[in-house]
Amino acid sequence: MTNSEISAIAKIITEKAKIAIVMHKSPDGDAIGSSLGLHHFFQTFKAKTSVISPNSYPDFLRWMPGSSKIIDYSKDSKAATNALSRAELIVCLDFNALKRIEKLGKTVAKSKALKLLIDHHPQPEDFADILFHSTHASSTAELIFDFIDLMGEKRRINKSIASCLYAGIMTDTGSFRFSSTTEHTHRVAAELLEKGADGAKIHQLIEDNNREVRMRLFGYSLLEKMKILREYRTGYITLTQSELKQFDYKDGDTEGFVNQPLSVKGMVFSALFTEKDGNEGIKISFRSNTDFDVNLFARKHFDGGGHLNAAGGNSRLSMDETIMKFIGLLKEYKNELNPDIKPDRH
Ligand code: 5GP
Ligand code: MN
């Protein structure tokens, strides 16, 4: 971000112009945390900010200050579209392609507002006027902290901003354990604690807030549905709509399941396949813990994307066909999945 870009943004904020913040579909802790954190920052200037989500989000994120103000496009499309079309500044958070906000993408593309994208996903599409982007950032929430710092406004960080940003960083780093967690991430987290975020409380609000059925679904997934393919150092879990319904599935209930196969010794690649409601196909999550690039894998084979070690995709095939395709691909990628047997390593 150049100095003149910073000034352009600062001018809009201080002139109390209308601002819209929009996050990706099925927002996670980072999307909600960075959006609300930035919203509270703009509030310190008394700016008129709307926060928009394409659809609903899990209950365990609803404790965040300001969450009741989020406009859910799937429930009130008019309010969401109006807020976006009236805005003079649109801030896009935690996504790199307009298709990640689905129908709202058209409204953003058409808008004459200044568009700022703050994100950490690789290969951002060229739709924003100003880009504040780094794939080295653990999370978009970390980038919001850096953005505030770059604007020279760190003194404005209050308890609400700190709590939302801490929640974003903590959820996107798996509680500071993924390789995306850097010294800088810890320094930012430390400053957020100083500014009033209660780390233990936030962990509790997010992690220890499960409905009993969700824990049972978790147990069922591990016991009955996790497949381990040692040959490919890969583990995966499948969940059909009827299984999800059996456990009274709600948005966010399968959060974190995809990481579980990687807890099995020797596994490098994991996937979670969930059947979407209403014959919409299969939603897939991918994770890896080596340099096996799941972003590339998801982009190339499953109409998706994400990061090197965490990505998602989609399949229009049936569950069985999707798994057959997946296993076929594992055969092709066998060498990448088993780096020890790569010929050039010996
Ligand atoms: P998750 O598996 O938690 O849904 O997503 C992991 C990462 O992949 C996130 O950073 C998310 O933004 C990205 N991702 C998930 N699903 C998709 C998708 O369908 N398309 C793209 N481009 N990225 C996705
Ligand atoms: Mn993120």
Side-chain angles (χ1 to χ4, degrees):
M1 225 167 42
T2 64
N3 283 341
S4 71
E5 288 173 339
I6 296 173
S7 311
I9 296 165
K11 187 162 180 281
I12 293 182
I13 301 169
T14 48
E15 284 177 354
K16 303 186 180 43
K18 292 196 176 69
I19 303 175
I21 297 173
V22 59
M23 63 190 95
H24 62 77
K25 191 189 170 223
S26 302
D28 54 8
D30 188 31
I32 302 272
S34 55
S35 298
L36 289 175
L38 188 64
H39 165 70
H40 292 302
F41 172 65
F42 289 157
Q43 291 293 101
T44 68
F45 295 89
K46 310 220 169 347
K48 298 183 198 82
T49 316
S50 311
V51 184
I52 302 151
S53 167
N55 63 346
S56 184
Y57 62 94
D59 280 346
F60 63 81
L61 298 173
R62 287 187 194 267
W63 59 269
M64 277 192 231
S67 86
S68 63
K69 301 235 166 63
I70 295 177
I71 306 169
D72 176 346
Y73 172 82
S74 68
K75 295 206 179 90
D76 193 348
S77 59
K78 210 164 174 188
T81 316
N82 281 344
L84 269 181
S85 11
R86 276 197 234 114
E88 287 165 63
L89 170 67
I90 296 179
V91 191
C92 297
L93 291 187
D94 203 36
F95 63 88
N96 56 358
L98 283 180
K99 74 169 193 199
R100 297 279 290 141
I101 54 172
E102 301 204 319
K103 286 187 186 144
L104 286 169
K106 255 195 194 146
T107 318
V108 172
K110 262 199 302 200
S111 162
K112 300 244 175 336
L114 185 72
K115 290 166 207 164
L116 165 65
L117 170 65
I118 305 182
D119 181 42
H120 65 137
H121 294 89
Q123 299 152 285
E125 259 180 16
D126 183 23
F127 63 88
D129 304 298
I130 303 177
L131 199 59
F132 189 62
H133 180 273
S134 169
T135 52
H136 301 295
S138 70
S139 50
T140 299
E142 183 180 311
L143 285 174
I144 299 290
F145 180 94
D146 295 339
F147 171 78
I148 295 173
D149 191 12
L150 207 61
M151 292 194 65
E153 300 287 358
K154 255 184 0 185
R155 68 187 182 287
R156 288 179 186 266
I157 298 181
N158 54 32
K159 185 172 177 171
S160 294
I161 300 173
S163 304
C164 294
L165 296 185
Y166 187 93
I169 296 172
M170 171 238 152
T171 49
D172 246 29
T173 57
S175 294
F176 306 94
R177 57 160 292 189
F178 299 150
S179 59
S180 56
T181 311
T182 62
E183 301 93 307
H184 181 62
T185 312
H186 282 287
R187 285 197 185 99
V188 169
E191 284 201 51
L192 296 174
L193 296 175
E194 276 168 9
K195 302 275 190 187
D198 183 339
K201 182 86 189 154
I202 292 171
H203 271 86
Q204 198 183 8
L205 286 164
I206 290 179
E207 303 286 351
D208 303 337
N209 207 352
N210 292 299
R211 290 174 306 138
E212 182 184 338
V213 273
R214 192 262 174 184
M215 291 308 285
R216 305 269 175 217
L217 174 65
F218 184 42
Y220 170 76
S221 303
L222 290 185
L223 184 64
E224 307 278 350
K225 305 303 309 273
M226 185 170 74
K227 303 279 181 269
I228 296 294
L229 307 175
R230 290 201 183 273
E231 195 183 355
Y232 307 115
R233 302 177 71 172
T234 296
Y236 69 92
I237 295 171
T238 58
L239 289 166
T240 62
Q241 265 300 311
S242 81
E243 288 169 320
L244 293 171
K245 288 202 173 111
Q246 199 184 318
F247 290 93
D248 187 27
Y249 174 82
K250 297 233 177 350
D251 281 344
D253 277 355
T254 55
E255 194 73 43
F257 286 17
V258 63
N259 294 303
Q260 296 308 315
L262 288 181
S263 268
V264 178
K265 196 172 174 180
M267 295 301 117
V268 300
F269 183 30
S270 68
L272 171 72
F273 299 85
T274 40
E275 196 175 38
K276 295 186 208 174
D277 202 5
N279 275 329
E280 291 282 308
I282 313 286
K283 173 76 205 159
I284 318 171
S285 285
F286 297 110
R287 298 290 185 271
S288 71
N289 57 12
T290 58
D291 57 6
F292 183 68
D293 190 338
V294 293
N295 170 40
L296 273 185
F297 187 87
R299 272 175 194 256
K300 203 162 163 199
H301 305 293
F302 290 102
D303 183 31
H307 312 266
L308 173 75
N309 293 130
N314 303 278
S315 164
R316 278 282 173 185
L317 304 170
S318 70
M319 182 66 90
D320 288 348
E321 289 164 339
T322 304
I323 297 302
M324 266 169 40
K325 173 176 170 181
F326 179 64
I327 293 176
L329 287 166
L330 293 180
K331 289 179 185 156
E332 280 178 39
Y333 284 86
K334 192 170 177 185
N335 287 348
E336 284 92 326
L337 293 165
N338 285 283
D340 305 338
I341 59 165
K342 258 189 189 165
D344 60 356
R345 297 263 176 123
H346 291 280

PDB file of all heavy atoms in Angstrom, residues 24 28 94 96-97 99-100 120-121 255 258 283-287 299 302-307 310-314, ligand 1:
ATOM      1  N   HIS A  24     -16.091 -13.351   2.992  1.00  0.00           N
ATOM      2  CA  HIS A  24     -16.436 -14.478   2.114  1.00  0.00           C
ATOM      3  C   HIS A  24     -17.610 -15.303   2.638  1.00  0.00           C
ATOM      4  O   HIS A  24     -17.967 -15.229   3.813  1.00  0.00           O
ATOM      5  CB  HIS A  24     -15.228 -15.380   1.865  1.00  0.00           C
ATOM      6  CG  HIS A  24     -14.659 -16.029   3.094  1.00  0.00           C
ATOM      7  ND1 HIS A  24     -15.240 -17.110   3.712  1.00  0.00           N
ATOM      8  CD2 HIS A  24     -13.538 -15.746   3.819  1.00  0.00           C
ATOM      9  CE1 HIS A  24     -14.515 -17.474   4.743  1.00  0.00           C
ATOM     10  NE2 HIS A  24     -13.477 -16.654   4.850  1.00  0.00           N
ATOM     11  N   ASP A  28     -15.598 -17.799   8.416  1.00  0.00           N
ATOM     12  CA  ASP A  28     -14.982 -18.480   9.560  1.00  0.00           C
ATOM     13  C   ASP A  28     -14.568 -17.427  10.590  1.00  0.00           C
ATOM     14  O   ASP A  28     -14.894 -16.238  10.448  1.00  0.00           O
ATOM     15  CB  ASP A  28     -13.784 -19.309   9.065  1.00  0.00           C
ATOM     16  CG  ASP A  28     -12.786 -18.465   8.274  1.00  0.00           C
ATOM     17  OD1 ASP A  28     -12.937 -17.219   8.227  1.00  0.00           O
ATOM     18  OD2 ASP A  28     -11.846 -19.047   7.703  1.00  0.00           O
ATOM     19  N   ASP A  94     -10.594 -11.278   3.557  1.00  0.00           N
ATOM     20  CA  ASP A  94     -10.348 -12.721   3.676  1.00  0.00           C
ATOM     21  C   ASP A  94     -10.795 -13.531   2.462  1.00  0.00           C
ATOM     22  O   ASP A  94     -11.116 -14.701   2.597  1.00  0.00           O
ATOM     23  CB  ASP A  94     -10.997 -13.265   4.972  1.00  0.00           C
ATOM     24  CG  ASP A  94     -10.348 -14.560   5.445  1.00  0.00           C
ATOM     25  OD1 ASP A  94      -9.116 -14.695   5.294  1.00  0.00           O
ATOM     26  OD2 ASP A  94     -11.068 -15.445   5.946  1.00  0.00           O
ATOM     27  N   ASN A  96     -10.005 -13.862  -2.119  1.00  0.00           N
ATOM     28  CA  ASN A  96      -9.158 -13.380  -3.211  1.00  0.00           C
ATOM     29  C   ASN A  96      -9.862 -13.367  -4.563  1.00  0.00           C
ATOM     30  O   ASN A  96      -9.268 -13.029  -5.571  1.00  0.00           O
ATOM     31  CB  ASN A  96      -7.890 -14.243  -3.296  1.00  0.00           C
ATOM     32  CG  ASN A  96      -8.223 -15.717  -3.466  1.00  0.00           C
ATOM     33  OD1 ASN A  96      -9.391 -16.102  -3.484  1.00  0.00           O
ATOM     34  ND2 ASN A  96      -7.202 -16.545  -3.597  1.00  0.00           N
ATOM     35  N   ALA A  97     -11.145 -13.788  -4.586  1.00  0.00           N
ATOM     36  CA  ALA A  97     -11.863 -13.848  -5.861  1.00  0.00           C
ATOM     37  C   ALA A  97     -13.328 -13.513  -5.616  1.00  0.00           C
ATOM     38  O   ALA A  97     -13.919 -13.985  -4.628  1.00  0.00           O
ATOM     39  CB  ALA A  97     -11.742 -15.247  -6.454  1.00  0.00           C
ATOM     40  N   LYS A  99     -15.959 -14.535  -6.822  1.00  0.00           N
ATOM     41  CA  LYS A  99     -16.917 -15.652  -6.747  1.00  0.00           C
ATOM     42  C   LYS A  99     -17.066 -16.177  -5.310  1.00  0.00           C
ATOM     43  O   LYS A  99     -18.045 -16.841  -4.989  1.00  0.00           O
ATOM     44  CB  LYS A  99     -16.558 -16.764  -7.733  1.00  0.00           C
ATOM     45  CG  LYS A  99     -15.374 -17.596  -7.360  1.00  0.00           C
ATOM     46  CD  LYS A  99     -15.273 -18.829  -8.264  1.00  0.00           C
ATOM     47  CE  LYS A  99     -14.267 -19.776  -7.654  1.00  0.00           C
ATOM     48  NZ  LYS A  99     -13.680 -20.763  -8.431  1.00  0.00           N
ATOM     49  N   ARG A 100     -16.111 -15.824  -4.439  1.00  0.00           N
ATOM     50  CA  ARG A 100     -16.201 -16.259  -3.040  1.00  0.00           C
ATOM     51  C   ARG A 100     -17.300 -15.513  -2.278  1.00  0.00           C
ATOM     52  O   ARG A 100     -17.643 -15.876  -1.163  1.00  0.00           O
ATOM     53  CB  ARG A 100     -14.853 -16.061  -2.332  1.00  0.00           C
ATOM     54  CG  ARG A 100     -13.725 -16.901  -2.907  1.00  0.00           C
ATOM     55  CD  ARG A 100     -13.726 -18.322  -2.400  1.00  0.00           C
ATOM     56  NE  ARG A 100     -13.356 -18.391  -1.009  1.00  0.00           N
ATOM     57  CZ  ARG A 100     -13.926 -19.210  -0.130  1.00  0.00           C
ATOM     58  NH1 ARG A 100     -14.903 -20.004  -0.483  1.00  0.00           N
ATOM     59  NH2 ARG A 100     -13.524 -19.216   1.108  1.00  0.00           N
ATOM     60  N   HIS A 120      -4.986 -12.733   2.718  1.00  0.00           N
ATOM     61  CA  HIS A 120      -3.739 -13.511   2.767  1.00  0.00           C
ATOM     62  C   HIS A 120      -3.788 -14.772   1.901  1.00  0.00           C
ATOM     63  O   HIS A 120      -2.937 -15.645   2.051  1.00  0.00           O
ATOM     64  CB  HIS A 120      -3.385 -13.862   4.222  1.00  0.00           C
ATOM     65  CG  HIS A 120      -4.357 -14.774   4.903  1.00  0.00           C
ATOM     66  ND1 HIS A 120      -3.961 -15.827   5.692  1.00  0.00           N
ATOM     67  CD2 HIS A 120      -5.706 -14.800   4.918  1.00  0.00           C
ATOM     68  CE1 HIS A 120      -5.027 -16.456   6.167  1.00  0.00           C
ATOM     69  NE2 HIS A 120      -6.093 -15.847   5.722  1.00  0.00           N
ATOM     70  N   HIS A 121      -4.783 -14.871   1.022  1.00  0.00           N
ATOM     71  CA  HIS A 121      -4.835 -16.025   0.107  1.00  0.00           C
ATOM     72  C   HIS A 121      -3.960 -15.755  -1.121  1.00  0.00           C
ATOM     73  O   HIS A 121      -3.913 -14.634  -1.603  1.00  0.00           O
ATOM     74  CB  HIS A 121      -6.272 -16.289  -0.350  1.00  0.00           C
ATOM     75  CG  HIS A 121      -7.170 -16.730   0.762  1.00  0.00           C
ATOM     76  ND1 HIS A 121      -7.866 -15.837   1.546  1.00  0.00           N
ATOM     77  CD2 HIS A 121      -7.462 -17.954   1.230  1.00  0.00           C
ATOM     78  CE1 HIS A 121      -8.559 -16.513   2.448  1.00  0.00           C
ATOM     79  NE2 HIS A 121      -8.331 -17.794   2.291  1.00  0.00           N
ATOM     80  N   GLU A 255     -16.361 -27.898  11.541  1.00  0.00           N
ATOM     81  CA  GLU A 255     -15.141 -27.084  11.647  1.00  0.00           C
ATOM     82  C   GLU A 255     -14.054 -27.876  12.372  1.00  0.00           C
ATOM     83  O   GLU A 255     -14.289 -28.408  13.457  1.00  0.00           O
ATOM     84  CB  GLU A 255     -15.492 -25.821  12.451  1.00  0.00           C
ATOM     85  CG  GLU A 255     -14.493 -24.706  12.395  1.00  0.00           C
ATOM     86  CD  GLU A 255     -14.494 -23.973  11.058  1.00  0.00           C
ATOM     87  OE1 GLU A 255     -15.587 -23.707  10.532  1.00  0.00           O
ATOM     88  OE2 GLU A 255     -13.391 -23.692  10.561  1.00  0.00           O
ATOM     89  N   VAL A 258     -11.466 -31.709   9.423  1.00  0.00           N
ATOM     90  CA  VAL A 258     -10.513 -32.037   8.348  1.00  0.00           C
ATOM     91  C   VAL A 258      -9.088 -32.185   8.869  1.00  0.00           C
ATOM     92  O   VAL A 258      -8.269 -32.892   8.280  1.00  0.00           O
ATOM     93  CB  VAL A 258     -10.583 -30.977   7.224  1.00  0.00           C
ATOM     94  CG1 VAL A 258     -10.169 -29.588   7.719  1.00  0.00           C
ATOM     95  CG2 VAL A 258      -9.711 -31.369   6.039  1.00  0.00           C
ATOM     96  N   LYS A 283     -18.963 -30.520  -0.866  1.00  0.00           N
ATOM     97  CA  LYS A 283     -17.992 -29.497  -0.445  1.00  0.00           C
ATOM     98  C   LYS A 283     -16.766 -30.233   0.091  1.00  0.00           C
ATOM     99  O   LYS A 283     -16.903 -31.196   0.860  1.00  0.00           O
ATOM    100  CB  LYS A 283     -18.628 -28.628   0.648  1.00  0.00           C
ATOM    101  CG  LYS A 283     -17.699 -27.633   1.296  1.00  0.00           C
ATOM    102  CD  LYS A 283     -17.440 -26.443   0.403  1.00  0.00           C
ATOM    103  CE  LYS A 283     -16.111 -25.793   0.741  1.00  0.00           C
ATOM    104  NZ  LYS A 283     -15.576 -24.974  -0.340  1.00  0.00           N
ATOM    105  N   ILE A 284     -15.604 -29.808  -0.316  1.00  0.00           N
ATOM    106  CA  ILE A 284     -14.389 -30.513   0.113  1.00  0.00           C
ATOM    107  C   ILE A 284     -13.440 -29.541   0.809  1.00  0.00           C
ATOM    108  O   ILE A 284     -13.305 -28.388   0.389  1.00  0.00           O
ATOM    109  CB  ILE A 284     -13.640 -31.139  -1.090  1.00  0.00           C
ATOM    110  CG1 ILE A 284     -14.644 -31.785  -2.057  1.00  0.00           C
ATOM    111  CG2 ILE A 284     -12.615 -32.162  -0.615  1.00  0.00           C
ATOM    112  CD1 ILE A 284     -14.019 -32.231  -3.363  1.00  0.00           C
ATOM    113  N   SER A 285     -12.827 -30.013   1.894  1.00  0.00           N
ATOM    114  CA  SER A 285     -11.751 -29.274   2.552  1.00  0.00           C
ATOM    115  C   SER A 285     -10.489 -30.110   2.446  1.00  0.00           C
ATOM    116  O   SER A 285     -10.544 -31.335   2.622  1.00  0.00           O
ATOM    117  CB  SER A 285     -12.063 -29.070   4.031  1.00  0.00           C
ATOM    118  OG  SER A 285     -13.032 -28.079   4.188  1.00  0.00           O
ATOM    119  N   PHE A 286      -9.377 -29.447   2.174  1.00  0.00           N
ATOM    120  CA  PHE A 286      -8.093 -30.141   2.088  1.00  0.00           C
ATOM    121  C   PHE A 286      -7.097 -29.520   3.067  1.00  0.00           C
ATOM    122  O   PHE A 286      -7.089 -28.298   3.258  1.00  0.00           O
ATOM    123  CB  PHE A 286      -7.491 -29.995   0.688  1.00  0.00           C
ATOM    124  CG  PHE A 286      -8.307 -30.604  -0.418  1.00  0.00           C
ATOM    125  CD1 PHE A 286      -8.965 -29.796  -1.342  1.00  0.00           C
ATOM    126  CD2 PHE A 286      -8.409 -31.986  -0.545  1.00  0.00           C
ATOM    127  CE1 PHE A 286      -9.717 -30.345  -2.368  1.00  0.00           C
ATOM    128  CE2 PHE A 286      -9.166 -32.546  -1.574  1.00  0.00           C
ATOM    129  CZ  PHE A 286      -9.815 -31.717  -2.486  1.00  0.00           C
ATOM    130  N   ARG A 287      -6.254 -30.368   3.660  1.00  0.00           N
ATOM    131  CA  ARG A 287      -5.166 -29.873   4.506  1.00  0.00           C
ATOM    132  C   ARG A 287      -3.921 -30.703   4.228  1.00  0.00           C
ATOM    133  O   ARG A 287      -4.021 -31.894   3.896  1.00  0.00           O
ATOM    134  CB  ARG A 287      -5.510 -30.032   6.007  1.00  0.00           C
ATOM    135  CG  ARG A 287      -6.721 -29.262   6.485  1.00  0.00           C
ATOM    136  CD  ARG A 287      -6.486 -27.757   6.500  1.00  0.00           C
ATOM    137  NE  ARG A 287      -7.614 -27.049   7.064  1.00  0.00           N
ATOM    138  CZ  ARG A 287      -8.668 -26.616   6.360  1.00  0.00           C
ATOM    139  NH1 ARG A 287      -8.739 -26.834   5.057  1.00  0.00           N
ATOM    140  NH2 ARG A 287      -9.652 -25.961   6.957  1.00  0.00           N
ATOM    141  N   ARG A 299      -7.405 -26.220  -6.866  1.00  0.00           N
ATOM    142  CA  ARG A 299      -7.647 -25.415  -8.078  1.00  0.00           C
ATOM    143  C   ARG A 299      -7.728 -26.284  -9.315  1.00  0.00           C
ATOM    144  O   ARG A 299      -8.586 -26.103 -10.176  1.00  0.00           O
ATOM    145  CB  ARG A 299      -6.482 -24.435  -8.292  1.00  0.00           C
ATOM    146  CG  ARG A 299      -6.653 -23.133  -7.579  1.00  0.00           C
ATOM    147  CD  ARG A 299      -5.402 -22.274  -7.745  1.00  0.00           C
ATOM    148  NE  ARG A 299      -5.474 -21.192  -6.801  1.00  0.00           N
ATOM    149  CZ  ARG A 299      -5.784 -19.935  -7.134  1.00  0.00           C
ATOM    150  NH1 ARG A 299      -6.002 -19.610  -8.379  1.00  0.00           N
ATOM    151  NH2 ARG A 299      -5.871 -19.008  -6.202  1.00  0.00           N
ATOM    152  N   PHE A 302     -10.627 -29.602  -8.297  1.00  0.00           N
ATOM    153  CA  PHE A 302     -11.922 -29.505  -7.618  1.00  0.00           C
ATOM    154  C   PHE A 302     -12.470 -28.082  -7.572  1.00  0.00           C
ATOM    155  O   PHE A 302     -13.162 -27.720  -6.620  1.00  0.00           O
ATOM    156  CB  PHE A 302     -11.825 -30.110  -6.208  1.00  0.00           C
ATOM    157  CG  PHE A 302     -11.668 -31.620  -6.213  1.00  0.00           C
ATOM    158  CD1 PHE A 302     -10.431 -32.201  -5.990  1.00  0.00           C
ATOM    159  CD2 PHE A 302     -12.756 -32.448  -6.473  1.00  0.00           C
ATOM    160  CE1 PHE A 302     -10.277 -33.594  -6.013  1.00  0.00           C
ATOM    161  CE2 PHE A 302     -12.616 -33.830  -6.496  1.00  0.00           C
ATOM    162  CZ  PHE A 302     -11.370 -34.403  -6.270  1.00  0.00           C
ATOM    163  N   ASP A 303     -12.160 -27.287  -8.603  1.00  0.00           N
ATOM    164  CA  ASP A 303     -12.795 -25.977  -8.750  1.00  0.00           C
ATOM    165  C   ASP A 303     -12.707 -25.151  -7.449  1.00  0.00           C
ATOM    166  O   ASP A 303     -13.683 -24.547  -7.024  1.00  0.00           O
ATOM    167  CB  ASP A 303     -14.270 -26.199  -9.149  1.00  0.00           C
ATOM    168  CG  ASP A 303     -14.989 -24.883  -9.394  1.00  0.00           C
ATOM    169  OD1 ASP A 303     -14.328 -23.932  -9.830  1.00  0.00           O
ATOM    170  OD2 ASP A 303     -16.207 -24.818  -9.115  1.00  0.00           O
ATOM    171  N   GLY A 304     -11.535 -25.181  -6.843  1.00  0.00           N
ATOM    172  CA  GLY A 304     -11.412 -24.487  -5.550  1.00  0.00           C
ATOM    173  C   GLY A 304     -10.121 -23.721  -5.445  1.00  0.00           C
ATOM    174  O   GLY A 304      -9.585 -23.240  -6.446  1.00  0.00           O
ATOM    175  N   GLY A 305      -9.630 -23.583  -4.242  1.00  0.00           N
ATOM    176  CA  GLY A 305      -8.393 -22.849  -3.997  1.00  0.00           C
ATOM    177  C   GLY A 305      -8.178 -22.701  -2.509  1.00  0.00           C
ATOM    178  O   GLY A 305      -8.828 -23.379  -1.715  1.00  0.00           O
ATOM    179  N   GLY A 306      -7.273 -21.811  -2.146  1.00  0.00           N
ATOM    180  CA  GLY A 306      -6.987 -21.601  -0.724  1.00  0.00           C
ATOM    181  C   GLY A 306      -5.514 -21.312  -0.545  1.00  0.00           C
ATOM    182  O   GLY A 306      -4.945 -20.536  -1.306  1.00  0.00           O
ATOM    183  N   HIS A 307      -4.913 -21.954   0.432  1.00  0.00           N
ATOM    184  CA  HIS A 307      -3.492 -21.728   0.734  1.00  0.00           C
ATOM    185  C   HIS A 307      -2.703 -23.011   0.465  1.00  0.00           C
ATOM    186  O   HIS A 307      -3.280 -24.063   0.201  1.00  0.00           O
ATOM    187  CB  HIS A 307      -3.302 -21.371   2.211  1.00  0.00           C
ATOM    188  CG  HIS A 307      -4.213 -20.318   2.725  1.00  0.00           C
ATOM    189  ND1 HIS A 307      -3.881 -18.993   2.766  1.00  0.00           N
ATOM    190  CD2 HIS A 307      -5.467 -20.407   3.233  1.00  0.00           C
ATOM    191  CE1 HIS A 307      -4.879 -18.301   3.279  1.00  0.00           C
ATOM    192  NE2 HIS A 307      -5.860 -19.140   3.572  1.00  0.00           N
ATOM    193  N   ALA A 310      -3.904 -25.326   3.356  1.00  0.00           N
ATOM    194  CA  ALA A 310      -5.349 -25.392   3.672  1.00  0.00           C
ATOM    195  C   ALA A 310      -6.123 -24.845   2.495  1.00  0.00           C
ATOM    196  O   ALA A 310      -5.939 -23.695   2.107  1.00  0.00           O
ATOM    197  CB  ALA A 310      -5.657 -24.568   4.923  1.00  0.00           C
ATOM    198  N   ALA A 311      -6.961 -25.678   1.918  1.00  0.00           N
ATOM    199  CA  ALA A 311      -7.736 -25.218   0.766  1.00  0.00           C
ATOM    200  C   ALA A 311      -9.089 -25.908   0.759  1.00  0.00           C
ATOM    201  O   ALA A 311      -9.370 -26.778   1.589  1.00  0.00           O
ATOM    202  CB  ALA A 311      -6.976 -25.510  -0.523  1.00  0.00           C
ATOM    203  N   GLY A 312      -9.926 -25.479  -0.166  1.00  0.00           N
ATOM    204  CA  GLY A 312     -11.249 -26.082  -0.279  1.00  0.00           C
ATOM    205  C   GLY A 312     -11.634 -26.202  -1.728  1.00  0.00           C
ATOM    206  O   GLY A 312     -11.035 -25.561  -2.599  1.00  0.00           O
ATOM    207  N   GLY A 313     -12.629 -27.027  -1.998  1.00  0.00           N
ATOM    208  CA  GLY A 313     -13.091 -27.181  -3.371  1.00  0.00           C
ATOM    209  C   GLY A 313     -14.485 -27.763  -3.407  1.00  0.00           C
ATOM    210  O   GLY A 313     -15.148 -27.880  -2.360  1.00  0.00           O
ATOM    211  N   ASN A 314     -14.923 -28.106  -4.595  1.00  0.00           N
ATOM    212  CA  ASN A 314     -16.297 -28.559  -4.797  1.00  0.00           C
ATOM    213  C   ASN A 314     -16.317 -29.667  -5.822  1.00  0.00           C
ATOM    214  O   ASN A 314     -15.452 -29.737  -6.681  1.00  0.00           O
ATOM    215  CB  ASN A 314     -17.143 -27.391  -5.322  1.00  0.00           C
ATOM    216  CG  ASN A 314     -17.084 -26.204  -4.379  1.00  0.00           C
ATOM    217  OD1 ASN A 314     -17.794 -26.165  -3.390  1.00  0.00           O
ATOM    218  ND2 ASN A 314     -16.188 -25.261  -4.658  1.00  0.00           N
TER     219      ASN A 314
HETATM  220  P1  5GP B   1     -12.036 -24.622   4.573  1.00  0.00           P
HETATM  221  O1  5GP B   1     -11.522 -25.979   4.249  1.00  0.00           O
HETATM  222  O2  5GP B   1     -11.775 -24.254   5.987  1.00  0.00           O
HETATM  223  O3  5GP B   1     -13.426 -24.399   4.096  1.00  0.00           O
HETATM  224  O4  5GP B   1     -11.169 -23.637   3.708  1.00  0.00           O
HETATM  225  C1  5GP B   1      -9.765 -23.626   3.749  1.00  0.00           C
HETATM  226  C2  5GP B   1      -9.231 -22.519   2.896  1.00  0.00           C
HETATM  227  O5  5GP B   1      -9.570 -22.748   1.535  1.00  0.00           O
HETATM  228  C3  5GP B   1      -9.806 -21.172   3.243  1.00  0.00           C
HETATM  229  O6  5GP B   1      -8.732 -20.265   3.236  1.00  0.00           O
HETATM  230  C4  5GP B   1     -10.778 -20.844   2.156  1.00  0.00           C
HETATM  231  O7  5GP B   1     -10.763 -19.507   1.870  1.00  0.00           O
HETATM  232  C5  5GP B   1     -10.309 -21.676   0.983  1.00  0.00           C
HETATM  233  N1  5GP B   1     -11.459 -22.264   0.281  1.00  0.00           N
HETATM  234  C6  5GP B   1     -12.390 -23.079   0.794  1.00  0.00           C
HETATM  235  N2  5GP B   1     -13.301 -23.437  -0.122  1.00  0.00           N
HETATM  236  C7  5GP B   1     -12.936 -22.818  -1.269  1.00  0.00           C
HETATM  237  C8  5GP B   1     -13.495 -22.771  -2.597  1.00  0.00           C
HETATM  238  O8  5GP B   1     -14.501 -23.392  -2.925  1.00  0.00           O
HETATM  239  N3  5GP B   1     -12.837 -21.993  -3.492  1.00  0.00           N
HETATM  240  C9  5GP B   1     -11.698 -21.307  -3.176  1.00  0.00           C
HETATM  241  N4  5GP B   1     -11.111 -20.576  -4.126  1.00  0.00           N
HETATM  242  N5  5GP B   1     -11.163 -21.325  -1.941  1.00  0.00           N
HETATM  243  C10 5GP B   1     -11.756 -22.069  -1.002  1.00  0.00           C
END
